[in-house]
């Protein structure tokens, strides 16, 4: 099958939740009649965990994008193992506790700013038993790359400005981010083209038509070469700024689903399930691994009431933070040294 992975990064809240509901509207179905699904890399601050819980319930994959999403690149590049552990393992704890996702439900992470932390980062991920990382960018190449394990040398150049890739062996999968060819049509193979990894950072994509054409060109690039999973990596803010881009994306997805009976819009974990237990395309329809939380009707909503918690944490200078969750409000705002929000230093009041 040709797998397509839609991912969104950063906080989930009322600024973007309606976009997700529109894109994943329960009407768009994979050939196995399950809903199409995506992967959300959730950073902690400003996230509404009731919404995260709902995304998980209807079948999406939730992964962590760190607690602080610190915008200083060197914080990540030079971060020690403990920093990476607190950020990623702690981020997973927060999502599982306040998004009420089953323990072990959060399997992956993506580094903020896509800044790799080299061996420190991967040692922390391995010790924290993450299944995969999705932060490494592979430069534009044909054919594109399949995901790989970091047991062996990485199969591409360490790409990006002063990036620090791992140099040792780790038991972590890499859901590599293949760069997009920003051209609307296949060009001369000798032409030097610089790719772009996040769709919303492709400066060449200025119009909905351009987006449609770039998606189609890159889809064919994957489909007709080695069927490496195609990643659509995005930030929802792009669609708030340019709603016509969302129209184009929806149109493209609908056309792909109507045209091909072997293309599946799946989560990153679904891709790994296929890679660890490959099957011929005729068996894709009944592959059980792709039928968990198949549609929104499969799992009843457990959230009776969404609590608006007003919390503080001394690490944030006592500023009050709001956090919404279907779980009971914790005592303090969850943060690096206190992901469960025990708030042993701070008081909290309930709104």
């Amino acid at each position: 099958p040709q797998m397509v992975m839609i991912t969104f990064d950063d906080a989930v809240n009322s600024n973007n939740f309606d976009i997700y509901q529109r894109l994943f509207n329960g009407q768009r179905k994979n050939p196995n009649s399950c809903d199409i699904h995506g992967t959300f890399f959730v950073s902690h601050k400003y996230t509404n965990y009731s919404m995260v819980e709902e995304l998980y319930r209807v079948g999406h994959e939730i992964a962590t994008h760190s607690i602080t999403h610190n915008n200083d690149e060197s914080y990540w590049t030079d971060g020690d193992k403990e920093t990476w552990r607190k950020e990623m393992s702690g981020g997973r704890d927060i999502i599982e506790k306040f998004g009420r996702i089953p323990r072990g439900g959060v399997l992956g992470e993506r580094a903020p700013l896509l800044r790799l932390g080299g061996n420190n980062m991967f040692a922390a991920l391995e010790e924290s038993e993450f299944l995969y990382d999705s932060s490494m960018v592979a430069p534009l190449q044909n054919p594109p790359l399949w995901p790989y394990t970091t047991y062996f040398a990485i199969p591409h150049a360490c790409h990006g400005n002063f990036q620090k890739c791992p140099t040792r062996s780790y038991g972590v999968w890499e859901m590599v981010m293949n760069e997009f060819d920003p051209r609307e049509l296949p060009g001369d193979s000798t032409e030097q083209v610089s790719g772009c990894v996040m769709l919303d950072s492709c400066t060449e994509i200025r119009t909905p038509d351009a987006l449609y054409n770039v998606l189609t060109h890159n889809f064919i690039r994957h489909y007709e070469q080695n069927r490496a999973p195609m990643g659509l990596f995005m930030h929802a803010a792009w669609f708030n700024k340019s709603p016509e881009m969302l129209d184009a994306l929806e149109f493209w997805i609908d056309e792909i689903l109507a045209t091909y009976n072997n293309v599946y819009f799946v989560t990153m974990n679904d891709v790994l399930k296929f890679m660890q237990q490959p099957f011929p395309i005729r068996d894709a329809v009944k592959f059980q691994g792709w039928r968990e939380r198949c549609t929104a009707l499969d799992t009843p909503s457990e959230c009776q009431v969404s609590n608006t918690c007003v919390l503080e944490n001394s690490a944030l200078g006592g500023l009050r933070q709001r956090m919404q969750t279907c779980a009971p409000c914790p005592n303090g705002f969850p943060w690096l040294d206190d992901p469960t929000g025990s708030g042993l230093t701070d008081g909290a009041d309930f709104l």
Side-chain angles (χ1 to χ4, degrees):
Q2 173 66 56
M3 298 173 279
V4 184
M5 311 176 291
I6 296 178
T7 78
F8 286 99
D9 292 6
D10 302 337
V12 171
N13 52 43
S14 49
N15 292 337
N16 48 37
F17 192 64
D18 52 336
I19 291 173
Y20 303 147
Q21 287 190 303
R22 195 178 130 186
L23 196 55
F24 302 108
N25 59 8
Q27 308 299 306
R28 299 193 166 97
K29 303 283 188 189
N30 281 323
N32 63 356
S33 73
C34 290
D35 295 347
I36 66 169
H37 291 137
T39 307
F40 293 83
F41 292 91
V42 179
S43 51
H44 169 52
K45 216 170 172 183
Y46 311 120
T47 281
N48 177 328
Y49 286 98
S50 308
M51 291 175 176
V52 170
E53 180 174 335
E54 176 63 11
L55 288 171
Y56 181 83
R57 179 186 78 83
V58 300
H60 301 296
E61 180 178 358
I62 309 294
T64 179
H65 193 39
S66 83
I67 295 181
T68 65
H69 201 296
N70 191 317
N71 283 322
D72 173 12
E73 294 193 345
S74 59
Y75 173 85
W76 304 104
T77 307
D78 305 329
D80 58 13
K81 191 164 84 175
E82 188 58 10
T83 299
W84 281 97
R85 188 192 61 74
K86 281 183 183 171
E87 287 278 8
M88 295 308 180
S89 190
R92 174 175 63 189
D93 293 344
I94 293 175
I95 291 169
E96 289 181 354
K97 176 162 183 170
F98 299 104
R100 302 201 305 176
I101 287 170
R103 263 196 76 78
V106 176
L107 298 163
E109 56 71 52
R110 177 170 285 164
L113 318 173
L114 303 184
R115 291 312 295 181
L116 302 169
N119 292 338
N120 285 341
M121 167 183 176
F122 280 82
L125 295 178
E126 183 178 62
E127 281 176 27
S128 305
E129 300 185 347
F130 275 94
L131 176 65
Y132 70 82
D133 164 67
S134 182
S135 320
M136 271 207 253
V137 177
L140 176 60
Q141 61 185 56
N142 282 313
L145 290 171
W146 278 80
Y148 53 86
T149 70
T150 51
Y151 280 128
F152 308 108
I154 60 175
H156 55 85
C158 188
H159 188 51
N161 295 328
F162 309 110
Q163 279 285 36
K164 200 148 104 189
C165 290
T167 55
R168 299 198 190 116
S169 171
Y170 297 98
V172 180
W173 280 90
E174 178 55 43
M175 302 304 289
V176 62
M177 303 175 77
N178 284 301
E179 280 194 331
F180 254 65
D181 186 329
R183 296 173 296 184
E184 295 187 46
L185 294 164
D188 178 2
S189 56
T190 56
E191 191 186 346
Q192 281 291 306
V193 181
S194 61
C196 44
V197 71
M198 287 279 176
L199 273 179
D200 41 297
S201 66
C202 269
T203 45
E204 289 86 348
I205 302 181
R206 295 192 188 88
T207 65
D209 285 354
L211 173 61
Y212 173 85
N213 292 336
V214 169
L215 287 170
T216 303
H217 168 202
N218 283 277
F219 175 80
I220 298 297
R221 207 165 63 81
H222 283 255
Y223 188 85
E224 292 188 353
Q225 290 192 90
N226 61 353
R227 303 235 168 135
M230 175 185 182
L232 309 185
F233 312 118
M234 298 171 282
H235 296 90
W238 186 38
F239 297 128
N240 280 325
K241 196 171 95 239
S242 316
E244 68 280 6
M245 293 298 189
L246 183 55
D247 296 336
L249 176 64
E250 289 187 284
F251 182 85
W252 179 81
I253 292 173
D254 289 338
E255 185 177 81
I256 293 286
L257 290 171
T259 309
Y260 295 89
N261 64 358
N262 58 353
V263 177
Y264 286 78
F265 287 80
V266 292
T267 67
M268 293 203 156
N269 185 34
D270 286 338
V271 169
L272 287 177
K273 286 181 191 173
F274 168 80
M275 290 182 69
Q276 291 170 331
Q277 191 188 344
F279 45 82
I281 184 63
R282 64 175 182 275
D283 294 347
V285 174
K286 48 185 196 288
F287 179 59
Q288 276 313 113
W290 285 1
R291 302 198 66 83
E292 290 168 24
R293 292 179 290 125
C294 172
T295 73
L297 303 172
D298 289 1
T299 322
S301 172
E302 303 273 309
C303 181
Q304 302 331 184
V305 57
S306 175
N307 301 306
T308 302
C309 313
V310 179
L311 309 163
E312 46 190 67
N313 184 314
S314 52
L316 293 169
L319 275 177
R320 294 207 167 160
Q321 308 284 342
R322 284 170 177 268
M323 183 178 87
Q324 266 192 288
T325 170
C326 300
C329 286
N331 297 320
F333 186 67
W335 202 245
L336 281 180
D337 290 307
D338 182 17
T340 58
S342 62
L344 293 174
T345 46
D346 299 312
D349 54 355
F350 185 75
L351 192 68

